[in-house]
Amino acid sequence: DDPDWGGPIMCGIIGCVGMHNKTLDTLVHGLSKLEYRGYDSAGVALTNPSDTYVDVVKRSGKLENLRTTLADGGSPTGTVGIGHTRWSTHGPPTDGNAHPHTDDDGQVAVVHNGIIENYQSLRDELTADGVEFQSDTDTEVIPHLVARNVKHGLGAEAAFRNAVDRLEGSYALACVVAGVGSVFVAREDSPLVLGVGDDRTFLGSDVPAFREFTDRVVYLEDGEFARIDGDGFVVTDATGT
Ligand code: GLU
């Protein structure tokens, strides 16, 4: 499974929704526990249920670069957060191509492990709609799709599901939306697990991401969605059941 061997793409996702202000530390700690998977960039996104924007900090290179940037720049706070270590497939390992990716207004942030096979046609469609892409990644179509759905009046969860329905390929996805106290996730051909803490709920590519905080683990199946809240989670299948 070493990516250098041409094995499956690994790298990692972490997420946390909690009632107190330890989300950033939990994300960075989780990313450090996923370093064994190999990566070329790292980043985090945080928001609060009362915020009108999502804070994103991301850097190419080692996690230490992200830590330094966070320390220098004043660390973002938030009770809802996602983090990512990237193993580039579309676009070189630059700061701009690092995840999370956002929509034009910075209201939606997404992290993704895997490959979106139909990203070019979605990118063409969104570009024709006036979207200005900031990265070379396949991933960036996703926050733009979610944001467009929100603008068309869908609630955050429906906007996320509808966007995921448009995707072909492999993905573990986590999405935050400004002003919404949940993380939305989906998986297809890429691992994703949930962790249930006493006052926080976690998600990760693998259990070590949050093992220190809880041993209550729920494995998502391909095609499933979940909404992660501070006090629990809801898993649904493709039909919404
Ligand atoms: N395909 C995405 C990219 O190149 C995600 C890669 C990954 O799994 O980290 O940014």
Side-chain angles (χ1 to χ4, degrees):
D1 285 344
D2 182 337
D4 289 338
W5 293 27
I9 298 163
M10 294 188 68
C11 49
I13 287 177
I14 170 83
C16 177
V17 186
M19 287 169 289
H20 44 71
N21 235 347
K22 289 187 194 155
T23 304
L24 179 64
D25 288 349
T26 306
L27 295 177
V28 174
H29 178 79
L31 291 178
S32 74
K33 294 292 176 188
L34 295 172
E35 281 192 290
Y36 75 92
R37 299 163 78 85
Y39 67 102
D40 55 44
S41 327
V44 293
L46 286 102
T47 190
N48 286 290
S50 56
D51 285 349
T52 54
Y53 58 89
V54 178
D55 253 328
V56 173
V57 183
K58 53 190 194 171
R59 284 293 174 269
S60 59
K62 288 290 168 198
L63 192 51
E64 203 45 43
N65 297 353
L66 177 67
R67 280 202 188 94
T68 304
T69 306
L70 288 168
D72 289 351
S75 302
T77 57
T79 55
V80 184
I82 53 178
H84 185 263
T85 47
R86 177 176 188 234
W87 187 268
S88 311
T89 66
H90 292 62
T94 59
D95 290 350
N97 286 335
H99 299 211
H101 290 284
T102 61
D103 68 306
D104 289 343
D105 298 329
Q107 304 259 305
V108 176
V110 170
V111 295
H112 164 224
N113 285 160
I115 292 175
I116 305 304
E117 306 284 359
N118 63 334
Y119 82 96
Q120 191 60 56
S121 66
L122 293 170
R123 192 170 167 124
D124 293 346
E125 175 190 315
L126 288 157
T127 302
D129 232 12
V131 167
E132 288 182 24
F133 279 81
Q134 306 296 325
S135 79
D136 312 312
T137 64
D138 51 337
T139 304
E140 195 190 335
V141 296
I142 305 168
H144 293 298
L145 286 171
V146 175
R148 189 172 66 175
N149 289 340
V150 169
K151 284 202 184 86
H152 289 176
L154 290 185
E157 185 162 12
F160 175 71
R161 295 186 74 103
N162 180 290
V164 174
D165 285 346
R166 303 281 319 271
L167 306 178
E168 290 162 21
S170 61
Y171 45 82
L173 288 175
C175 172
V176 294
V177 179
V180 176
S182 310
V183 175
F184 304 100
V185 308
R187 71 156 278 183
E188 185 70 45
D189 278 336
S190 197
L192 207 51
V193 295
L194 311 185
V196 185
D198 290 334
D199 55 0
R200 285 185 285 176
T201 314
F202 305 87
L203 61 112
S205 305
D206 199 357
V207 179
F210 51 72
R211 177 70 185 79
E212 187 164 325
F213 306 111
T214 183
D215 55 7
R216 286 182 281 161
V217 174
V218 177
Y219 289 83
L220 286 190
E221 305 287 338
D222 278 339
E224 284 184 336
F225 292 80
R227 190 186 78 226
I228 317 299
D229 300 309
D231 58 357
F233 65 94
V234 180
V235 177
T236 44
D237 67 14
T239 69
T241 303

